Amino acid sequence: LNICDCIMEVISQDDSTDARRPASPPAAGMPSFFCCGRSKRENDQFALDNSPDAEFHADSLIKLTHGVTAYRIIEPKDMNGKTADTVPIIVLLHSLHGASYMWADIADLLSDFEQGPQAKVLVFDFYGRGRSPWTGVDITLDTLVTQTKELMDALNLTRPTRPAAFVGYDMGGAVAAGFAAKYPNLCASLSLVSPLGIKYKPIQSEQWLQRKYFGEYMMMKQRRTLAAQQEGDFYDKSEDSPHRYLIQKQTDMVKWQIQHTPGYLGAILSTYRNFPMRSMDELFTAIGRHPRPTLSVWGDRDTVASYKKCIKVTEESFPKGIIVDIADCGHNVPFEKFEDLVKELLTFHRDAFEAAK
């Protein structure tokens, strides 16, 4: 089966027979032609074996309010005396243009590395990314926070007695912050990696993307260049850089999503129009008052979210938090400085979970 066949199979199932699939309201009509990137169902070929993320991707599907969501749970192989009720939970939230594939090695290390937290890790694809189709819903902060909460509820991962740790990169960082603000008792700790929502530098065509029809036209033009634009998230773009293969993977995955994720370009356009890319300073300040542990990681050569301005806001918002700036690194910290980020995440979560015992 390809992904569209799998999605249709999940949609067609009787919700009453599976408590893990909350009832979904009937669709409010099909989105217009301008749901850019929406392919006809019969032409969607999700050749999983040939996809750039074939080795690690969200491999299960579940129905939520605004459509099907693809997710994956990574369980620790050695529980070391922990039970299902005591094993820590970590939720990883991906970027604007990415999907769950970006967490591949990080998820495994957070789950199984002996010196790590050895947690149960949840990754999933936001609507219109990876293997989660977009149904036309506005991609707002609340939409993605609700998607996260509904998924965790359906998988029995929301327990006030065992709150989860959240790690968010780029747009995922803003969603993690939004989740912490809306559900403070369900968030044990926050790790924000180059989060959007503070001092985001708009892309050149963003003002046109906001305008009806012009935005759709611009997005259709960008389908040829969007993948190549991902290099702008890196400081070292040279052909001999040690992370060159990860730059290539990012660009390949954007190409793959444009071709195969139903509604990918429409979801990107909806995000530019409806998601708070900037001006979330008050929200960050509000969640910074909570005593939960926080980790903020920035690349000191970030040109997507202005490094100097973001560091200033972060220091003011999280005066007791851990702030790490990584040298010679652009916006895409998980790919450009993987080892540095992993070291910080493993130490932070191990210490946070130990302190919570």
Side-chain angles (χ1 to χ4, degrees):
L1 292 179
N2 61 36
I3 285 295
C4 281
D5 291 334
C6 294
I7 291 170
M8 291 307 297
E9 183 178 333
V10 173
I11 291 175
S12 65
Q13 290 182 357
D14 182 356
D15 289 308
S16 63
T17 63
D18 189 348
R20 291 173 59 181
R21 294 192 176 95
S24 179
M30 286 296 291
S32 71
F33 166 79
F34 289 110
C35 287
C36 307
R38 179 174 297 280
S39 304
K40 292 183 179 179
R41 216 177 295 281
E42 61 268 24
N43 293 332
D44 281 327
Q45 300 298 321
F46 287 80
L48 297 185
D49 292 339
N50 297 322
S51 65
D53 65 343
E55 294 182 358
F56 184 96
H57 55 267
D59 56 4
S60 299
L61 300 173
I62 192 167
K63 285 170 62 178
L64 302 177
T65 298
H66 296 298
V68 172
T69 292
Y71 70 94
R72 180 177 187 141
I73 293 179
I74 301 91
E75 302 265 11
K77 295 174 183 175
D78 186 352
M79 298 291 281
N80 287 328
K82 302 184 184 78
T83 66
D85 292 326
T86 61
V87 65
I89 298 169
I90 301 178
V91 182
L92 306 180
L93 304 173
H94 66 75
S95 60
L96 170 65
H97 296 105
S100 55
Y101 67 85
M102 63 163 291
W103 297 116
D105 295 322
I106 291 177
D108 288 338
L109 288 168
L110 288 171
S111 179
D112 282 322
F113 188 57
E114 187 176 348
Q115 276 74 48
Q118 296 180 309
K120 175 186 289 188
V121 178
L122 170 66
V123 301
F124 68 96
D125 298 333
F126 289 131
Y127 294 126
R129 276 79 168 182
R131 287 159 172 75
S132 295
W134 182 57
T135 60
V137 62
D138 287 345
I139 304 297
T140 64
L141 176 62
D142 191 63
T143 297
L144 300 186
V145 168
T146 300
Q147 181 187 15
T148 305
K149 175 65 161 52
E150 286 186 352
L151 177 61
M152 293 178 67
D153 284 343
L155 300 176
N156 195 28
L157 297 178
T158 46
R159 303 180 190 178
T161 57
R162 188 185 51 160
F166 286 81
V167 181
Y169 160 60
D170 187 71
M171 182 178 74
V175 175
F179 190 99
K182 191 171 184 177
Y183 305 105
N185 295 333
L186 298 178
C187 179
S189 68
L190 273 178
S191 298
L192 306 175
V193 184
S194 309
L196 295 187
I198 301 179
K199 299 294 181 182
Y200 164 77
K201 181 181 178 181
I203 61 174
Q204 191 173 7
S205 60
E206 187 170 334
Q207 61 177 337
W208 292 102
L209 295 176
Q210 302 292 334
R211 301 179 63 178
K212 191 174 183 180
Y213 304 128
F214 282 99
E216 282 74 8
Y217 173 73
M218 292 297 297
M219 187 56 67
M220 291 305 291
K221 284 189 65 177
Q222 283 198 15
R223 68 180 298 140
R224 302 188 189 94
T225 61
L226 189 61
Q229 292 172 19
Q230 303 308 303
E231 291 205 10
D233 290 350
F234 296 83
Y235 171 61
D236 183 0
K237 310 176 186 66
S238 62
E239 290 297 327
D240 58 351
S241 68
H243 54 270
R244 185 67 214 180
Y245 73 102
L246 290 173
I247 298 178
Q248 189 62 51
K249 181 173 183 177
Q250 178 66 12
T251 57
D252 287 347
M253 272 308 303
V254 169
K255 291 177 184 177
W256 188 87
Q257 290 177 100
I258 290 172
Q259 285 188 310
H260 298 297
T261 301
Y264 178 71
L265 290 177
I268 297 295
L269 178 60
S270 181
T271 305
Y272 279 119
R273 285 176 168 173
N274 300 295
F275 194 88
M277 302 284 201
R278 59 187 71 79
S279 303
M280 286 177 58
D281 301 30
E282 291 184 5
L283 185 145
F284 279 93
T285 300
I287 62 174
R289 298 192 186 104
H290 195 282
R292 72 172 65 85
T294 60
L295 169 68
S296 303
V297 182
W298 298 91
D300 70 350
R301 303 287 183 160
D302 193 335
T303 58
V304 176
S306 173
Y307 167 71
K308 292 182 179 178
K309 294 178 181 178
C310 288
I311 282 289
K312 185 174 183 290
V313 173
T314 304
E315 290 173 341
E316 294 171 351
S317 300
F318 305 101
K320 296 183 180 180
I322 300 171
I323 301 175
V324 178
D325 52 348
I326 298 180
D328 299 325
C329 181
H331 184 69
N332 196 329
V333 178
F335 278 9
E336 187 160 10
K337 295 290 184 177
F338 172 82
E339 292 183 0
D340 297 87
L341 177 60
V342 165
K343 178 183 175 182
E344 298 296 338
L345 290 177
L346 291 177
T347 302
F348 173 76
H349 286 94
R350 183 190 61 218
D351 293 347
F353 287 135
E354 285 294 328
K357 287 182 178 178

